[in-house]
Amino acid sequence: MNVLLTGGAGYIGSHTAVELLEAGHRVVVLDNLVNSHAESLRRVEQITGHAPVLVTGDCADRETVDRVLAEHAIDAVVHTAGLKAVGESVAQPLRYYRNNLDALLSLVEAMDARGVRNLVFSSSATVYGDPETVPIPEDAPLSATNPYGATKLFGERILGDLAAADPRWHIVSLRYFNPVGAHPSGLIGEDPQGTPNNLLPYIAQVAAGRREFLQVFGDDYDTADGTGVRDYLHVVDLARGHLVALHHLADAPGHRVYNLGSGKGYSVMECLHAFERAVGRSLPYKVVPRRPGDIAVCSADPSAAARDLGWKADRDLDEACADAWRWQSANPRGFAG
Ligand code: WQD
């Protein structure tokens, strides 16, 4: 298929581009490069031997989207573009609502006008808020505890209403748990701008000597070692989830939602020790007070994706840390380096 991959120069997007190209699809990337590097796509070509087409632009620009859909005879869209830093979204709510919702609305309006109605949407486990029970199934109560999570919740609602109004739409929303790791080649990986918000890239930068120590945000949670527990999912498994969702679209009219998670929870300290095993030495850390808004435990019930998509996570945390370290140590300054 001819696939439009928005945000394809980013962390999730570049790994998804690899899987799509290796499966024989043609990939056209639309990315405004605000939070990503075109170099990642040159690396994607190095890995796959196929060059994704890069169109530098914004999903909110309907003319650009319309031109790309027409010129490249797009059959389906995988929409991963968006702002995704929880803390930043609390500080800049209007920027997040405008960016993430404008992009989605302009994209689906342009798709509808061109009769392209196959869509895989990047959603998030943040739509579950502070879950009542874990592991979390897709029919758990939804609540957004920050503007970023709200843009994902509203995005799913928009797509659900669209599919209910017009059965020609085939849409899958993927609720990512915690993506980690890198492609085993070490050529592409997570390259956060500024100080990493998320745990694994921060640990990787401690290991690379870019950060003095890891701050462990609280060790007084109701968990085995007192530190926060999350469902860490290897980014290659996550990327493959997009490929199977895309292949599933043809048989699936309407809007379907799937958790993409490993189903296993690991604590902050377990992640730190896994990364130490990858690096071969201990890494410095300090326990500091909890981060506001953090929850104790979050992990997926991934059984629906296994049942309907035939998808499950094949890679474990140790593999994700080894792959992340290979990327970080080969690219200490990320793509810009
Ligand atoms: C994980 C655990 C922290 C950093 C995010 C966002 C969003 C989503 C995925 C897509 C928590 C602890 C962290 C640090 C720490 N992405 N931690 N020191 O908060 O589960 O959610 O994940 O939707 O980006 O919702 O991920 O990696 O920030 O935190 O102790 O320097 O690590 O307290 O327990 P989180 P995270």
Side-chain angles (χ1 to χ4, degrees):
M1 282 191 270
N2 296 331
V3 181
L4 170 58
L5 173 60
T6 73
Y11 175 43
I12 310 300
S14 56
H15 287 83
T16 301
V18 166
E19 299 306 320
L20 293 170
L21 289 164
E22 289 188 340
H25 297 296
R26 192 168 164 269
V27 174
V28 179
V29 168
L30 176 61
D31 200 310
N32 61 14
L33 302 180
V34 161
N35 212 4
S36 55
H37 292 271
E39 173 61 20
S40 66
L41 296 177
R42 281 185 281 280
R43 307 279 184 95
V44 166
E45 181 178 4
Q46 242 182 297
I47 292 169
T48 64
H50 302 286
V53 173
L54 171 60
V55 175
T56 305
D58 207 304
C59 300
D61 175 353
R62 240 191 89 172
E63 307 309 317
T64 300
V65 177
D66 181 64
R67 191 180 74 249
V68 171
L69 292 173
E71 285 177 3
H72 296 279
I74 297 298
D75 301 300
V77 177
V78 177
H79 180 42
T80 76
L83 298 175
K84 65 147 193 148
V86 169
E88 186 181 62
S89 79
V90 173
Q92 303 174 38
L94 292 185
R95 179 175 169 231
Y96 268 69
Y97 287 122
R98 173 63 67 192
N99 183 82
N100 288 2
L101 295 180
D102 251 6
L104 179 63
L105 288 167
S106 300
L107 180 68
V108 293
E109 284 175 338
M111 289 173 68
D112 199 36
R114 287 281 173 186
V116 179
R117 299 186 180 90
N118 297 315
L119 173 64
V120 176
F121 173 60
S122 162
S123 187
S124 167
T126 49
V127 302
Y128 294 118
D130 190 351
E132 290 161 12
T133 57
V134 286
I136 310 171
E138 284 84 353
D139 62 0
L142 304 180
S143 73
T145 55
N146 56 72
Y148 161 74
T151 68
K152 294 302 184 182
L153 199 52
F154 298 158
E156 288 189 17
R157 177 62 194 267
I158 289 165
L159 296 175
D161 289 346
L162 177 60
D166 182 345
R168 292 174 297 178
W169 281 91
H170 294 216
I171 305 170
V172 169
S173 290
L174 301 175
R175 290 175 181 163
Y176 303 173
F177 278 71
N178 288 56
V180 290
H183 189 270
S185 66
L187 289 170
I188 56 175
E190 192 164 9
D191 184 16
Q193 318 234 322
T195 306
N197 297 300
N198 299 133
L199 178 66
L200 260 294
Y202 199 101
I203 295 175
Q205 289 192 8
V206 170
R210 288 180 62 181
R211 307 284 167 187
E212 197 185 340
F213 57 86
L214 171 70
Q215 295 182 95
V216 176
F217 294 145
D219 65 353
D220 56 351
Y221 286 101
D222 183 16
T223 61
D225 64 15
T227 63
V229 171
R230 296 292 185 275
D231 183 329
Y232 296 98
L233 173 69
H234 196 296
V235 66
V236 172
D237 283 326
L238 177 63
R240 290 191 175 160
H242 292 73
L243 182 67
V244 295
L246 183 73
H247 292 166
H248 173 78
L249 280 179
D251 312 323
H255 178 226
R256 285 163 175 69
V257 179
Y258 294 102
N259 288 334
L260 291 191
S262 70
K264 299 186 196 73
Y266 289 100
S267 72
V268 173
M269 292 313 294
E270 286 173 319
C271 289
L272 183 65
H273 295 326
F275 216 96
E276 289 174 333
R277 287 194 291 276
V279 175
R281 58 186 153 86
S282 65
L283 297 172
Y285 71 94
K286 278 182 189 157
V287 178
V288 298
R290 295 181 178 190
R291 179 173 63 178
D294 272 354
I295 59 179
V297 181
C298 182
S299 65
D301 171 352
S303 54
R307 181 194 63 227
D308 294 355
L309 306 178
W311 177 90
K312 68 176 183 59
D314 294 323
R315 294 156 183 80
D316 63 18
L317 180 64
D318 277 334
E319 192 170 342
C321 290
D323 291 337
W325 179 234
R326 190 175 306 110
W327 149 256
Q328 181 71 69
S329 46
N331 304 272
R333 292 276 162 207
F335 291 112

